[in-house]
Amino acid sequence: MRTWKQRVRRAATEWLSLPPDALLDVSRLTCLDGGQVIVENIHSLLRVADTAVEIDLGNSILLLQGEGFVVTLVAEREVHVRGVVGQISYLPKKEGQR
Amino acid sequence: MKRPQLEHIVFGYVFMEVRGSNIQALLLDMQQKGVVLHDVFVKGDRGTVGVCLRDFDAFYPACRKHGVKLRFTSRSGMPFFIRKLRRRKAMLVGIALFFVALYGLGNVIWQVDVSGVEDDSRQLVIQAARELGVYPGSWKSKVPEPDVIQSRLLKKLPNLMWVGVQMDGSKVRIEAVPKVPDVQPLNKTPHDVIAGKPGVIRRVFANRGTVMVKPGQVVHPGDVVISGNLAGGTKWVPADGQVFAEVWYNTRITIPLQVNQSALTGNHVERDYLTLGGLNLRFWGWQQPDYQATYERDETSDWKLGGLTLPVQWKQVTLYEVSPAQVKQSEDDAARNALALAAQDVRGQMRGDGEILEQTVLHREVQHGKLYETILTKTDENIGVAASS
């Protein structure tokens, strides 16, 4: 259920034709040449392994699969990942997880 | 591709190996707390984590909480560098010495430049400046202000019109303007023009006064040529004019027909010595040339430390090959040279402008390998001199 605040923001974004990530609280994923991934506006870093990185984006879970993943930066709202990216998938959030 | 960030350089950065089954929980915990982690690599229950040293105080308790073991693999940044320096006292002393030396040597005058005057005056200016304490190797702090140096130099050297002193770092530029000798005032007291040399008058150009001689007349030194007496003694003026007369000079010339002359062939070897007191240590130049005759030239450095000449100096010796040569000239050549020499001698004796009319060889003799000649030179020159009375 969207709150009234979110509705106003969405409307403002559309009316001012701003990119949606400027005002809306949505995540943003930048993938550079399949070798470097920058994810902004995340909720939490769920799992880090050399073949997979799992990130909670709030309303969904981002799963990066590939090889030799190194998380070059972990900050409160941002994650940088380096490695060979094979697959980027958005998974629906499981019940019971925030 | 690890690029050190400014934050890591300033605050320090540690890179660790982590071990434990709870690494994921640790990472999540750190991320939620806002601790920035770098270069996280996890494989199974092992991995690596880099963290800024400033955040380590938050990181370490979390590791303990989650039962993750740490092992440091690298430390970088200023805090570690400073700690390393503290352990290496000699290096700190070296750095300090470097700055002390830089500052100290920057406070020494290294060069004194003098411009605007001739070479001989330049030496005088340099000498005077040295007496005032301005010389290469003196401390800048002991040197007085430039305007003080200027006034003192002017006082010391009365033949200078103006002196400018400029300090350019370790260089002192002295610019001097020499006084131009003023024009002699015209002699205003009444006087005659008399003959300065014996001769036969040829032409007289009188600007002022009464001409007392005629062309063709023989005059002796002291004879009045142009009188300052006008109108029969009623008025006396300073006489002025040019008196051209034929003057005879006798010159005796001796020219050797054969001269032993040694010339440098251009071949030379160099030797470098380090002199310690009276001891010469050869450092360079071991060549032993087979020169028949040599000419040696020494050049010793002038190393000083604060006005004291050091006992250690560098000496450079150059040995030049000399080839003895005999220069012969024929009697005719010698005679020609004799005439030229006589003309040169006579020109030195003539005052002002004048010309050589004729040269006659009165006597010629070759004896003991030398040419003896007596030459009579006739000149046309101004012999008029202002009489002092």
Side-chain angles (χ1 to χ4, degrees), chain B residues 156-198:
Chain B
K156 267 180 182 288
L157 301 163
N159 60 332
L160 293 184
M161 187 67 218
W162 178 84
V163 176
V165 177
Q166 196 187 351
M167 295 264 234
D168 255 3
S170 57
K171 200 172 178 183
V172 178
R173 288 176 209 269
I174 300 177
E175 201 168 324
V177 177
K179 274 183 189 162
V180 177
D182 54 354
V183 180
Q184 295 260 319
L186 279 169
N187 195 347
K188 290 269 177 67
T189 54
H191 62 261
D192 298 332
V193 172
I194 58 170
K197 287 173 185 174

Side-chain angles (χ1 to χ4, degrees), chain A residues 31-45:
Chain A
C31 185
L32 304 175
D33 203 22
Q36 198 175 355
V37 181
I38 298 166
V39 193
E40 286 158 276
N41 229 341
I42 63 161
H43 268 226
S44 58
L45 182 65

Side-chain angles (χ1 to χ4, degrees), chain A residues 8-64:
Chain A
V8 170
R9 276 191 179 179
R10 181 172 286 270
T13 309
E14 272 172 19
W15 184 57
L16 293 168
S17 53
L18 285 169
D21 56 327
L23 273 181
L24 300 173
D25 191 22
V26 292
S27 70
R28 174 189 167 106
L29 178 129
T30 317
C31 185
L32 304 175
D33 203 22
Q36 198 175 355
V37 181
I38 298 166
V39 193
E40 286 158 276
N41 229 341
I42 63 161
H43 268 226
S44 58
L45 182 65
L46 294 178
R47 188 163 67 93
V48 180
D50 61 333
T51 54
V53 175
E54 217 171 304
I55 298 164
D56 183 0
L57 300 176
N59 42 20
S60 62
I61 287 170
L62 175 70
L63 176 63
L64 300 176

Side-chain angles (χ1 to χ4, degrees), chain B residues 105-237:
Chain B
L105 294 181
N107 274 316
V108 170
I109 287 174
W110 286 108
Q111 208 178 350
V112 178
D113 262 7
V114 179
S115 59
V117 286
E118 302 288 316
D119 265 349
D120 46 346
S121 309
R122 172 175 296 135
Q123 291 308 317
L124 283 176
V125 173
I126 288 174
Q127 183 59 37
R130 177 175 287 272
E131 281 162 19
L132 292 176
V134 183
Y135 54 90
S138 66
W139 292 102
K140 259 199 224 166
S141 53
K142 290 191 180 170
V143 166
E145 291 294 305
D147 48 341
V148 177
I149 302 175
Q150 280 176 20
S151 58
R152 286 195 194 162
L153 272 181
L154 265 184
K155 216 173 278 176
K156 267 180 182 288
L157 301 163
N159 60 332
L160 293 184
M161 187 67 218
W162 178 84
V163 176
V165 177
Q166 196 187 351
M167 295 264 234
D168 255 3
S170 57
K171 200 172 178 183
V172 178
R173 288 176 209 269
I174 300 177
E175 201 168 324
V177 177
K179 274 183 189 162
V180 177
D182 54 354
V183 180
Q184 295 260 319
L186 279 169
N187 195 347
K188 290 269 177 67
T189 54
H191 62 261
D192 298 332
V193 172
I194 58 170
K197 287 173 185 174
V200 179
I201 300 293
R202 286 166 67 94
R203 305 182 303 284
V204 180
F205 304 115
N207 296 337
R208 209 173 178 193
T210 318
V211 180
M212 305 295 283
V213 290
K214 279 180 278 189
Q217 189 180 337
V218 175
V219 289
H220 297 284
D223 287 356
V224 176
V225 189
I226 305 173
S227 173
N229 184 352
L230 290 183
T234 51
K235 199 180 176 195
W236 287 85
V237 294

